[in-house]
Amino acid sequence: MDVDADAYNEDYSDAAVAEEIAKYRNIVLSACSSLGNLQPNTDEFAATNAKMVYVPAKDCLASLKDIKRYIQMDEQGDGKLVLQWLGEWQVLERDIIPIFTITANHILPEQTVSDTDALKTVMMCVELFVFLTWSMESESDE
C-alpha cells in the first residue's frame, strides 16, 4: 500500500509543478502583453503609409524590466522556459524591436536626451537583445 501512496504523491507533485509552470507562463505572458499593440494609423502617424502601426504602452519600460527579471530568474534553472516562451510568442520581432525603433527615432533627432524614460527604454531593449540572442543549448567550455 505504501507503493500506491508514493505513486500518488509523485503524480500529485508532477501535477503541482505543471500547474506552477502554467501560472508562471501566464505571468510572463501578461508582461509581454503590456508592452504595446498595433493600432490603426491616425494623423499622429501620418508619416507612414501603413494601415496599422505599433504603439508602445505608456508603461512599457516597467514591462521590459519585468521581462528582464524573469529571464534572469530563469537562468538559475535548467530549462530556460522564459526564453523558449518569448521565442514562441515572437516578442523580439513583434514588440521589442518596434519599441526600440520607435523610441530611438523619438530621441535621436533631438540629439539631446531630455527624456530619461525614453533613454532607459532604449537601453533596456538593448539589454534584452543580448538576452534574447543567447544560445538555448548548453555549450561546453571548449
Side-chain angles (χ1 to χ4, degrees):
M1 186 135 200
D2 288 342
V3 174
D4 291 335
D6 288 340
Y8 175 76
N9 288 336
E10 186 175 311
D11 289 344
Y12 179 75
S13 176
D14 290 345
V17 168
E19 184 177 330
E20 288 300 314
I21 289 173
K23 286 180 186 177
Y24 188 53
R25 180 182 166 108
N26 289 336
I27 291 169
V28 175
L29 180 58
S30 176
C32 294
S33 299
S34 299
L35 290 171
N37 57 25
L38 288 174
Q39 294 182 4
N41 195 353
T42 61
D43 292 336
E44 181 180 352
F45 305 108
T48 66
N49 293 330
K51 292 181 181 182
M52 302 291 283
V53 292
Y54 187 90
V55 178
K58 298 225 185 282
D59 60 345
C60 75
L61 178 58
S63 296
L64 290 168
K65 288 179 181 180
D66 288 342
I67 292 169
K68 178 185 172 187
R69 186 170 33 107
Y70 298 144
I71 292 170
Q72 289 174 327
M73 290 178 359
D74 197 39
E75 282 300 307
Q76 297 171 2
D78 295 330
K80 295 187 180 181
L81 294 174
V82 174
L83 290 176
Q84 290 175 11
W85 296 332
L86 295 175
E88 177 184 322
W89 302 327
Q90 298 178 339
V91 173
L92 180 65
E93 300 91 343
R94 291 184 181 176
D95 294 292
I96 298 174
I97 291 174
I99 290 169
F100 173 80
T101 305
I102 291 166
T103 309
N105 286 338
H106 172 74
I107 61 174
L108 284 180
E110 299 171 10
Q111 296 300 320
T112 61
V113 184
S114 57
D115 187 357
T116 57
D117 281 344
L119 180 60
K120 288 178 183 178
T121 300
V122 168
M123 295 307 296
M124 186 59 60
C125 288
V126 170
E127 288 183 40
L128 289 173
F129 291 159
V130 172
F131 285 133
L132 293 172
T133 55
W134 282 345
S135 172
M136 292 293 294
E137 298 177 11
S138 299
E139 297 178 10
S140 66
D141 291 339
E142 296 176 10

